[in-house]
């Protein structure tokens, strides 16, 4: 998949989770034990 596709998925996930930055998305993933 392309970089743009990944960026779009990341943006949509952050929006649905109410997160404003990539750092918040990473923190959420760590807290949920996804990474």
């Amino acid at each position: 998949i392309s970089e743009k596709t990944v960026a779009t998925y990341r943006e949509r996930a952050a929006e649905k989770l109410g997160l404003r930055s990539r750092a918040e998305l990473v923190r959420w993933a760590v807290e949920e034990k996804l990474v």
Side-chain angles (χ1 to χ4, degrees), residues 12-31:
R12 289 180 183 172
E15 184 177 327
K16 288 180 180 183
L17 293 168
L19 307 174
R20 294 173 302 228
S21 69
R22 188 180 300 182
E24 288 181 350
L25 187 59
V26 170
R27 183 178 17 199
W28 177 87
V30 170
E31 289 172 358

